[in-house]
């Protein structure tokens, strides 16, 4: 009797600064369809409608539109018309992506929902990324899909992938990182390609001890290196160091 229970006095806050909680927020739903034309090797994405979008304007409404990508290709981008002053827009617009059937399994559909602003940068409402195009059907018939729009403040960019191997030889105190290859890198030049190289830094307590680089591969988004980068590290220091691997475009 008389014992204080602190949990009874905790205040629940509506807003949170926790980025994990922020990332879990949804911003309404979007309805779209997918269908693949096997004869013409074309994927048709039809944006139907969005529902319960958040208000981005002072008037309590938004001017939404949708950008559509079929990742990892970002050069081909489509966009719906802007719908004025609505949180439940009906788009009903179709977009066609030429794509070979054997590539469908490795492609991802990326939908970005924006609020149009005539006088400043457009506000991002959220995004949907469909990792598996065959998740809801075999794409041979038009299939309607509903997805939650995930909260996002900036558009996610698929920057590509890197393959490397690590090997440590304790008797010699030698760490070998072999940079094998990269694929689907972001184009950084006006030619639609990049001149990529890989930079590897050896860090200890946030300080950079050593830095080494691969050769530069010209005009490619899928470079092959097969180059070994070696650092001498005594076994007793292995748990104190880390590696920072950066993919750079030479200019």
């Amino acid at each position: 009797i008389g014992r204080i229970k602190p949990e009874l006095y905790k205040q629940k806050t509506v807003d949170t600064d926790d980025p994990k909680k922020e990332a879990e927020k949804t911003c309404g739903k979007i309805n779209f369809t997918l269908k693949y034309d096997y004869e013409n090797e074309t994927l048709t994405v039809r944006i139907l409608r969005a529902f319960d979008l958040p208000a981005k304007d002072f008037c309590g409404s938004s001017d939404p539109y949708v950008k559509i990508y079929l990742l990892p290709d970002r050069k081909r981008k489509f966009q719906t018309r802007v719908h004025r002053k609505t949180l439940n827009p009906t788009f009903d617009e179709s977009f066609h992506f030429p794509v070979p059937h054997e590539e469908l399994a490795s492609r991802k559909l990326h939908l970005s929902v924006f609020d149009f602003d005539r006088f400043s940068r457009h506000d991002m409402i959220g995004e949907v990324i469909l990792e598996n195009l065959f998740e809801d059907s075999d794409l041979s018939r038009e299939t309607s899909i509903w997805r939650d729009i995930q909260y996002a403040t900036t558009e996610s960019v698929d920057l590509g992938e890197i393959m490397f191997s690590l090997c440590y030889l304790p008797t010699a105190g030698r760490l070998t990182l072999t940079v094998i290859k990269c694929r689907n890198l972001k184009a950084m030049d006006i030619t639609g390609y990049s001149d990529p190289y890989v930079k590897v830094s050896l860090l200890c307590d946030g300080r950079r001890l050593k830095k080494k680089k691969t050769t530069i591969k010209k005009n490619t988004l899928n470079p092959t290196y097969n180059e070994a980068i070696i650092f001498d590290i005594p076994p007793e220091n292995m748990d104190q160091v880390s590696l920072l691997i950066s993919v750079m475009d030479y200019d």
Side-chain angles (χ1 to χ4, degrees):
I1 296 175
R3 182 184 298 168
I4 294 175
K5 297 182 178 180
E7 63 271 15
L8 298 178
Y9 303 93
K10 286 183 180 177
Q11 291 183 335
K12 293 182 178 179
T13 56
V14 175
D15 296 323
T16 177
D17 293 329
D18 186 349
K20 291 182 180 177
K21 286 280 197 281
E22 201 74 9
E24 291 170 3
K25 288 199 318 189
T26 58
C27 306
K29 292 179 177 292
I30 190 166
N31 181 208
F32 58 95
T33 69
L34 297 178
K35 185 181 180 183
Y36 187 70
D37 183 339
Y38 287 85
E39 185 176 344
N40 296 310
E41 293 196 313
T42 302
L43 178 70
T44 299
V45 181
R46 187 173 164 212
I47 307 296
L48 295 176
R49 63 185 69 86
F51 176 72
D52 204 18
L53 298 179
K56 289 288 187 177
D57 302 337
F58 290 117
C59 63
S61 190
S62 290
D63 302 318
Y65 67 92
V66 182
K67 282 186 190 177
I68 305 101
Y69 297 94
L70 192 61
L71 300 177
D73 180 14
R74 283 195 163 263
K75 286 184 280 188
R76 184 183 295 274
K77 173 188 69 177
F78 293 108
Q79 183 174 309
T80 67
R81 293 188 298 272
V82 176
H83 287 252
R84 300 287 184 179
K85 293 183 169 43
T86 177
L87 302 180
N88 301 286
T90 297
F91 299 102
D92 199 13
E93 295 182 54
S94 296
F95 306 95
H96 307 285
F97 292 91
V99 54
H101 181 261
E102 60 270 18
E103 290 184 16
L104 282 175
S106 62
R107 296 298 194 99
K108 294 186 286 188
L109 182 68
H110 186 189
L111 308 178
S112 303
V113 185
F114 283 87
D115 170 52
F116 175 83
D117 193 317
R118 184 188 300 273
F119 303 107
S120 67
R121 194 174 59 131
H122 302 179
D123 290 326
M124 188 166 182
I125 293 174
E127 65 183 5
V128 170
I129 299 179
L130 190 65
E131 302 269 356
N132 180 5
L133 297 178
F134 295 99
E135 185 177 337
D136 294 280
S137 83
D138 61 2
L139 301 183
S140 61
R141 57 184 178 82
E142 190 173 40
T143 305
S144 178
I145 300 169
W146 281 95
R147 283 288 184 274
D148 288 329
I149 301 169
Q150 300 299 318
Y151 175 83
T153 54
T154 56
E155 205 168 2
S156 298
V157 178
D158 192 333
L159 299 175
E161 299 173 287
I162 183 169
M163 178 188 287
F164 59 90
S165 67
L166 278 174
C167 177
Y168 184 65
L169 193 60
T171 53
R174 181 183 302 146
L175 177 68
T176 302
L177 183 147
T178 303
V179 180
I180 302 170
K181 61 183 177 180
C182 300
R183 66 181 182 187
N184 298 326
L185 296 182
K186 182 182 178 184
M188 299 297 288
D189 302 336
I190 57 173
T191 59
Y193 292 99
S194 294
D195 302 320
Y197 66 94
V198 179
K199 180 172 70 174
V200 183
S201 300
L202 180 68
L203 307 177
C204 180
D205 296 328
R207 291 183 298 111
R208 187 166 68 187
L209 303 180
K210 291 183 180 177
K211 175 185 70 176
K212 299 188 178 183
K213 303 175 184 178
T214 67
T215 57
I216 299 161
K217 302 298 180 180
K218 295 284 188 179
N219 295 322
T220 179
L221 302 180
N222 301 283
T224 298
Y225 297 98
N226 290 321
E227 297 180 34
I229 292 176
I230 298 172
F231 295 103
D232 293 320
I233 308 169
E236 61 269 20
N237 297 130
M238 273 298 289
D239 59 351
Q240 300 166 358
V241 298
S242 59
L243 293 175
L244 175 64
I245 304 171
S246 307
V247 183
M248 316 289 289
D249 172 54
Y250 176 79
D251 195 343

PDB file of all heavy atoms in Angstrom, residues 154-181:
ATOM      1  N   THR A 154      12.993  11.118 -48.516  1.00  0.00           N
ATOM      2  CA  THR A 154      13.766  11.233 -49.750  1.00  0.00           C
ATOM      3  C   THR A 154      13.620   9.940 -50.535  1.00  0.00           C
ATOM      4  O   THR A 154      13.412   8.873 -49.965  1.00  0.00           O
ATOM      5  CB  THR A 154      15.267  11.467 -49.473  1.00  0.00           C
ATOM      6  OG1 THR A 154      15.747  10.412 -48.630  1.00  0.00           O
ATOM      7  CG2 THR A 154      15.496  12.799 -48.787  1.00  0.00           C
ATOM      8  N   GLU A 155      13.735  10.064 -51.841  1.00  0.00           N
ATOM      9  CA  GLU A 155      13.536   8.921 -52.714  1.00  0.00           C
ATOM     10  C   GLU A 155      14.678   7.918 -52.557  1.00  0.00           C
ATOM     11  O   GLU A 155      15.849   8.277 -52.593  1.00  0.00           O
ATOM     12  CB  GLU A 155      13.481   9.409 -54.166  1.00  0.00           C
ATOM     13  CG  GLU A 155      12.731   8.494 -55.077  1.00  0.00           C
ATOM     14  CD  GLU A 155      12.462   9.159 -56.419  1.00  0.00           C
ATOM     15  OE1 GLU A 155      12.903  10.298 -56.624  1.00  0.00           O
ATOM     16  OE2 GLU A 155      11.826   8.520 -57.255  1.00  0.00           O
ATOM     17  N   SER A 156      14.329   6.670 -52.319  1.00  0.00           N
ATOM     18  CA  SER A 156      15.364   5.634 -52.209  1.00  0.00           C
ATOM     19  C   SER A 156      16.053   5.463 -53.557  1.00  0.00           C
ATOM     20  O   SER A 156      15.407   5.463 -54.595  1.00  0.00           O
ATOM     21  CB  SER A 156      14.737   4.295 -51.798  1.00  0.00           C
ATOM     22  OG  SER A 156      14.134   4.402 -50.533  1.00  0.00           O
ATOM     23  N   VAL A 157      17.358   5.325 -53.520  1.00  0.00           N
ATOM     24  CA  VAL A 157      18.121   5.134 -54.752  1.00  0.00           C
ATOM     25  C   VAL A 157      18.856   3.803 -54.665  1.00  0.00           C
ATOM     26  O   VAL A 157      19.590   3.551 -53.711  1.00  0.00           O
ATOM     27  CB  VAL A 157      19.129   6.283 -54.967  1.00  0.00           C
ATOM     28  CG1 VAL A 157      19.944   6.035 -56.221  1.00  0.00           C
ATOM     29  CG2 VAL A 157      18.418   7.620 -55.059  1.00  0.00           C
ATOM     30  N   ASP A 158      18.626   2.960 -55.642  1.00  0.00           N
ATOM     31  CA  ASP A 158      19.338   1.692 -55.697  1.00  0.00           C
ATOM     32  C   ASP A 158      20.697   1.961 -56.335  1.00  0.00           C
ATOM     33  O   ASP A 158      20.805   2.237 -57.521  1.00  0.00           O
ATOM     34  CB  ASP A 158      18.534   0.686 -56.537  1.00  0.00           C
ATOM     35  CG  ASP A 158      19.064  -0.723 -56.392  1.00  0.00           C
ATOM     36  OD1 ASP A 158      20.262  -0.867 -56.104  1.00  0.00           O
ATOM     37  OD2 ASP A 158      18.288  -1.673 -56.563  1.00  0.00           O
ATOM     38  N   LEU A 159      21.757   1.911 -55.519  1.00  0.00           N
ATOM     39  CA  LEU A 159      23.076   2.305 -55.994  1.00  0.00           C
ATOM     40  C   LEU A 159      23.876   1.153 -56.567  1.00  0.00           C
ATOM     41  O   LEU A 159      25.008   1.347 -57.008  1.00  0.00           O
ATOM     42  CB  LEU A 159      23.867   2.947 -54.845  1.00  0.00           C
ATOM     43  CG  LEU A 159      23.243   4.217 -54.266  1.00  0.00           C
ATOM     44  CD1 LEU A 159      24.035   4.685 -53.064  1.00  0.00           C
ATOM     45  CD2 LEU A 159      23.169   5.310 -55.317  1.00  0.00           C
ATOM     46  N   GLY A 160      23.300  -0.053 -56.572  1.00  0.00           N
ATOM     47  CA  GLY A 160      24.004  -1.191 -57.130  1.00  0.00           C
ATOM     48  C   GLY A 160      24.554  -2.117 -56.058  1.00  0.00           C
ATOM     49  O   GLY A 160      24.258  -1.980 -54.874  1.00  0.00           O
ATOM     50  N   GLU A 161      25.389  -3.059 -56.489  1.00  0.00           N
ATOM     51  CA  GLU A 161      25.930  -4.078 -55.580  1.00  0.00           C
ATOM     52  C   GLU A 161      27.430  -4.235 -55.802  1.00  0.00           C
ATOM     53  O   GLU A 161      27.934  -3.970 -56.889  1.00  0.00           O
ATOM     54  CB  GLU A 161      25.246  -5.423 -55.826  1.00  0.00           C
ATOM     55  CG  GLU A 161      23.748  -5.414 -55.579  1.00  0.00           C
ATOM     56  CD  GLU A 161      23.105  -6.725 -55.990  1.00  0.00           C
ATOM     57  OE1 GLU A 161      22.983  -6.959 -57.207  1.00  0.00           O
ATOM     58  OE2 GLU A 161      22.757  -7.511 -55.098  1.00  0.00           O
ATOM     59  N   ILE A 162      28.123  -4.691 -54.737  1.00  0.00           N
ATOM     60  CA  ILE A 162      29.545  -4.980 -54.838  1.00  0.00           C
ATOM     61  C   ILE A 162      29.801  -6.388 -54.305  1.00  0.00           C
ATOM     62  O   ILE A 162      29.183  -6.806 -53.321  1.00  0.00           O
ATOM     63  CB  ILE A 162      30.394  -3.946 -54.078  1.00  0.00           C
ATOM     64  CG1 ILE A 162      31.892  -4.228 -54.259  1.00  0.00           C
ATOM     65  CG2 ILE A 162      30.035  -3.886 -52.594  1.00  0.00           C
ATOM     66  CD1 ILE A 162      32.796  -3.116 -53.756  1.00  0.00           C
ATOM     67  N   MET A 163      30.678  -7.131 -54.982  1.00  0.00           N
ATOM     68  CA  MET A 163      31.075  -8.464 -54.532  1.00  0.00           C
ATOM     69  C   MET A 163      32.554  -8.435 -54.155  1.00  0.00           C
ATOM     70  O   MET A 163      33.383  -7.941 -54.917  1.00  0.00           O
ATOM     71  CB  MET A 163      30.856  -9.506 -55.639  1.00  0.00           C
ATOM     72  CG  MET A 163      31.302 -10.913 -55.228  1.00  0.00           C
ATOM     73  SD  MET A 163      31.265 -12.088 -56.605  1.00  0.00           S
ATOM     74  CE  MET A 163      29.497 -12.312 -56.800  1.00  0.00           C
ATOM     75  N   PHE A 164      32.851  -8.924 -52.943  1.00  0.00           N
ATOM     76  CA  PHE A 164      34.245  -8.983 -52.514  1.00  0.00           C
ATOM     77  C   PHE A 164      34.431 -10.182 -51.593  1.00  0.00           C
ATOM     78  O   PHE A 164      33.460 -10.772 -51.108  1.00  0.00           O
ATOM     79  CB  PHE A 164      34.667  -7.694 -51.801  1.00  0.00           C
ATOM     80  CG  PHE A 164      33.861  -7.371 -50.570  1.00  0.00           C
ATOM     81  CD1 PHE A 164      34.251  -7.832 -49.311  1.00  0.00           C
ATOM     82  CD2 PHE A 164      32.709  -6.595 -50.659  1.00  0.00           C
ATOM     83  CE1 PHE A 164      33.519  -7.535 -48.176  1.00  0.00           C
ATOM     84  CE2 PHE A 164      31.962  -6.289 -49.531  1.00  0.00           C
ATOM     85  CZ  PHE A 164      32.368  -6.767 -48.281  1.00  0.00           C
ATOM     86  N   SER A 165      35.676 -10.550 -51.341  1.00  0.00           N
ATOM     87  CA  SER A 165      35.972 -11.638 -50.411  1.00  0.00           C
ATOM     88  C   SER A 165      36.976 -11.153 -49.380  1.00  0.00           C
ATOM     89  O   SER A 165      37.746 -10.214 -49.626  1.00  0.00           O
ATOM     90  CB  SER A 165      36.534 -12.853 -51.161  1.00  0.00           C
ATOM     91  OG  SER A 165      37.801 -12.548 -51.700  1.00  0.00           O
ATOM     92  N   LEU A 166      36.951 -11.773 -48.197  1.00  0.00           N
ATOM     93  CA  LEU A 166      37.872 -11.442 -47.116  1.00  0.00           C
ATOM     94  C   LEU A 166      38.610 -12.696 -46.677  1.00  0.00           C
ATOM     95  O   LEU A 166      38.005 -13.760 -46.543  1.00  0.00           O
ATOM     96  CB  LEU A 166      37.118 -10.863 -45.920  1.00  0.00           C
ATOM     97  CG  LEU A 166      36.746  -9.377 -45.941  1.00  0.00           C
ATOM     98  CD1 LEU A 166      35.890  -9.052 -44.731  1.00  0.00           C
ATOM     99  CD2 LEU A 166      37.987  -8.507 -45.957  1.00  0.00           C
ATOM    100  N   CYS A 167      39.906 -12.553 -46.406  1.00  0.00           N
ATOM    101  CA  CYS A 167      40.697 -13.680 -45.898  1.00  0.00           C
ATOM    102  C   CYS A 167      41.749 -13.131 -44.944  1.00  0.00           C
ATOM    103  O   CYS A 167      42.447 -12.156 -45.279  1.00  0.00           O
ATOM    104  CB  CYS A 167      41.358 -14.419 -47.065  1.00  0.00           C
ATOM    105  SG  CYS A 167      42.422 -15.784 -46.540  1.00  0.00           S
ATOM    106  N   TYR A 168      41.840 -13.730 -43.758  1.00  0.00           N
ATOM    107  CA  TYR A 168      42.845 -13.291 -42.789  1.00  0.00           C
ATOM    108  C   TYR A 168      43.779 -14.446 -42.455  1.00  0.00           C
ATOM    109  O   TYR A 168      43.339 -15.551 -42.128  1.00  0.00           O
ATOM    110  CB  TYR A 168      42.194 -12.771 -41.509  1.00  0.00           C
ATOM    111  CG  TYR A 168      43.202 -12.227 -40.519  1.00  0.00           C
ATOM    112  CD1 TYR A 168      43.955 -11.110 -40.829  1.00  0.00           C
ATOM    113  CD2 TYR A 168      43.404 -12.857 -39.292  1.00  0.00           C
ATOM    114  CE1 TYR A 168      44.903 -10.605 -39.941  1.00  0.00           C
ATOM    115  CE2 TYR A 168      44.348 -12.359 -38.398  1.00  0.00           C
ATOM    116  CZ  TYR A 168      45.094 -11.232 -38.725  1.00  0.00           C
ATOM    117  OH  TYR A 168      46.030 -10.737 -37.851  1.00  0.00           O
ATOM    118  N   LEU A 169      45.077 -14.174 -42.523  1.00  0.00           N
ATOM    119  CA  LEU A 169      46.095 -15.172 -42.221  1.00  0.00           C
ATOM    120  C   LEU A 169      46.786 -14.761 -40.916  1.00  0.00           C
ATOM    121  O   LEU A 169      47.652 -13.872 -40.902  1.00  0.00           O
ATOM    122  CB  LEU A 169      47.115 -15.235 -43.364  1.00  0.00           C
ATOM    123  CG  LEU A 169      48.076 -16.431 -43.371  1.00  0.00           C
ATOM    124  CD1 LEU A 169      47.305 -17.746 -43.452  1.00  0.00           C
ATOM    125  CD2 LEU A 169      49.045 -16.299 -44.531  1.00  0.00           C
ATOM    126  N   PRO A 170      46.404 -15.374 -39.765  1.00  0.00           N
ATOM    127  CA  PRO A 170      46.928 -14.939 -38.463  1.00  0.00           C
ATOM    128  C   PRO A 170      48.443 -15.074 -38.350  1.00  0.00           C
ATOM    129  O   PRO A 170      49.109 -14.229 -37.738  1.00  0.00           O
ATOM    130  CB  PRO A 170      46.216 -15.864 -37.466  1.00  0.00           C
ATOM    131  CG  PRO A 170      45.025 -16.379 -38.198  1.00  0.00           C
ATOM    132  CD  PRO A 170      45.425 -16.447 -39.630  1.00  0.00           C
ATOM    133  N   THR A 171      49.006 -16.138 -38.931  1.00  0.00           N
ATOM    134  CA  THR A 171      50.452 -16.360 -38.792  1.00  0.00           C
ATOM    135  C   THR A 171      51.262 -15.245 -39.442  1.00  0.00           C
ATOM    136  O   THR A 171      52.351 -14.896 -38.974  1.00  0.00           O
ATOM    137  CB  THR A 171      50.841 -17.703 -39.435  1.00  0.00           C
ATOM    138  OG1 THR A 171      50.340 -17.737 -40.776  1.00  0.00           O
ATOM    139  CG2 THR A 171      50.243 -18.861 -38.638  1.00  0.00           C
ATOM    140  N   ALA A 172      50.722 -14.671 -40.506  1.00  0.00           N
ATOM    141  CA  ALA A 172      51.422 -13.581 -41.192  1.00  0.00           C
ATOM    142  C   ALA A 172      50.876 -12.211 -40.790  1.00  0.00           C
ATOM    143  O   ALA A 172      51.459 -11.180 -41.148  1.00  0.00           O
ATOM    144  CB  ALA A 172      51.308 -13.757 -42.700  1.00  0.00           C
ATOM    145  N   GLY A 173      49.752 -12.204 -40.049  1.00  0.00           N
ATOM    146  CA  GLY A 173      49.117 -10.933 -39.693  1.00  0.00           C
ATOM    147  C   GLY A 173      48.675 -10.161 -40.918  1.00  0.00           C
ATOM    148  O   GLY A 173      48.813  -8.940 -40.998  1.00  0.00           O
ATOM    149  N   ARG A 174      48.095 -10.892 -41.890  1.00  0.00           N
ATOM    150  CA  ARG A 174      47.755 -10.274 -43.174  1.00  0.00           C
ATOM    151  C   ARG A 174      46.268 -10.438 -43.480  1.00  0.00           C
ATOM    152  O   ARG A 174      45.750 -11.558 -43.495  1.00  0.00           O
ATOM    153  CB  ARG A 174      48.577 -10.892 -44.292  1.00  0.00           C
ATOM    154  CG  ARG A 174      48.307 -10.273 -45.684  1.00  0.00           C
ATOM    155  CD  ARG A 174      49.111 -10.979 -46.750  1.00  0.00           C
ATOM    156  NE  ARG A 174      50.538 -10.901 -46.454  1.00  0.00           N
ATOM    157  CZ  ARG A 174      51.403 -11.859 -46.748  1.00  0.00           C
ATOM    158  NH1 ARG A 174      50.984 -12.985 -47.327  1.00  0.00           N
ATOM    159  NH2 ARG A 174      52.668 -11.723 -46.452  1.00  0.00           N
ATOM    160  N   LEU A 175      45.603  -9.309 -43.735  1.00  0.00           N
ATOM    161  CA  LEU A 175      44.197  -9.307 -44.143  1.00  0.00           C
ATOM    162  C   LEU A 175      44.125  -8.983 -45.630  1.00  0.00           C
ATOM    163  O   LEU A 175      44.634  -7.948 -46.071  1.00  0.00           O
ATOM    164  CB  LEU A 175      43.398  -8.268 -43.352  1.00  0.00           C
ATOM    165  CG  LEU A 175      41.926  -8.117 -43.744  1.00  0.00           C
ATOM    166  CD1 LEU A 175      41.126  -9.369 -43.381  1.00  0.00           C
ATOM    167  CD2 LEU A 175      41.296  -6.896 -43.079  1.00  0.00           C
ATOM    168  N   THR A 176      43.519  -9.881 -46.395  1.00  0.00           N
ATOM    169  CA  THR A 176      43.392  -9.673 -47.844  1.00  0.00           C
ATOM    170  C   THR A 176      41.922  -9.486 -48.207  1.00  0.00           C
ATOM    171  O   THR A 176      41.094 -10.359 -47.949  1.00  0.00           O
ATOM    172  CB  THR A 176      43.959 -10.863 -48.628  1.00  0.00           C
ATOM    173  OG1 THR A 176      45.325 -11.049 -48.267  1.00  0.00           O
ATOM    174  CG2 THR A 176      43.855 -10.622 -50.127  1.00  0.00           C
ATOM    175  N   LEU A 177      41.616  -8.337 -48.776  1.00  0.00           N
ATOM    176  CA  LEU A 177      40.279  -8.070 -49.309  1.00  0.00           C
ATOM    177  C   LEU A 177      40.394  -8.089 -50.830  1.00  0.00           C
ATOM    178  O   LEU A 177      41.154  -7.294 -51.400  1.00  0.00           O
ATOM    179  CB  LEU A 177      39.749  -6.724 -48.822  1.00  0.00           C
ATOM    180  CG  LEU A 177      38.327  -6.363 -49.259  1.00  0.00           C
ATOM    181  CD1 LEU A 177      37.622  -5.545 -48.183  1.00  0.00           C
ATOM    182  CD2 LEU A 177      38.297  -5.590 -50.575  1.00  0.00           C
ATOM    183  N   THR A 178      39.686  -8.992 -51.475  1.00  0.00           N
ATOM    184  CA  THR A 178      39.702  -9.057 -52.936  1.00  0.00           C
ATOM    185  C   THR A 178      38.418  -8.439 -53.485  1.00  0.00           C
ATOM    186  O   THR A 178      37.313  -8.927 -53.217  1.00  0.00           O
ATOM    187  CB  THR A 178      39.830 -10.513 -53.430  1.00  0.00           C
ATOM    188  OG1 THR A 178      41.023 -11.090 -52.877  1.00  0.00           O
ATOM    189  CG2 THR A 178      39.898 -10.562 -54.940  1.00  0.00           C
ATOM    190  N   VAL A 179      38.561  -7.332 -54.197  1.00  0.00           N
ATOM    191  CA  VAL A 179      37.415  -6.690 -54.853  1.00  0.00           C
ATOM    192  C   VAL A 179      37.171  -7.441 -56.157  1.00  0.00           C
ATOM    193  O   VAL A 179      38.014  -7.418 -57.067  1.00  0.00           O
ATOM    194  CB  VAL A 179      37.684  -5.199 -55.124  1.00  0.00           C
ATOM    195  CG1 VAL A 179      36.463  -4.566 -55.797  1.00  0.00           C
ATOM    196  CG2 VAL A 179      38.012  -4.478 -53.832  1.00  0.00           C
ATOM    197  N   ILE A 180      36.023  -8.113 -56.247  1.00  0.00           N
ATOM    198  CA  ILE A 180      35.752  -8.954 -57.414  1.00  0.00           C
ATOM    199  C   ILE A 180      35.059  -8.152 -58.515  1.00  0.00           C
ATOM    200  O   ILE A 180      35.603  -7.967 -59.597  1.00  0.00           O
ATOM    201  CB  ILE A 180      34.928 -10.188 -57.009  1.00  0.00           C
ATOM    202  CG1 ILE A 180      35.702 -10.986 -55.942  1.00  0.00           C
ATOM    203  CG2 ILE A 180      34.633 -11.076 -58.223  1.00  0.00           C
ATOM    204  CD1 ILE A 180      34.909 -12.086 -55.283  1.00  0.00           C
ATOM    205  N   LYS A 181      33.858  -7.650 -58.226  1.00  0.00           N
ATOM    206  CA  LYS A 181      33.152  -6.881 -59.254  1.00  0.00           C
ATOM    207  C   LYS A 181      32.009  -6.090 -58.630  1.00  0.00           C
ATOM    208  O   LYS A 181      31.624  -6.298 -57.478  1.00  0.00           O
ATOM    209  CB  LYS A 181      32.609  -7.808 -60.346  1.00  0.00           C
ATOM    210  CG  LYS A 181      31.612  -8.853 -59.850  1.00  0.00           C
ATOM    211  CD  LYS A 181      31.191  -9.781 -60.989  1.00  0.00           C
ATOM    212  CE  LYS A 181      30.256 -10.878 -60.491  1.00  0.00           C
ATOM    213  NZ  LYS A 181      29.845 -11.782 -61.589  1.00  0.00           N
TER     214      LYS A 181
END
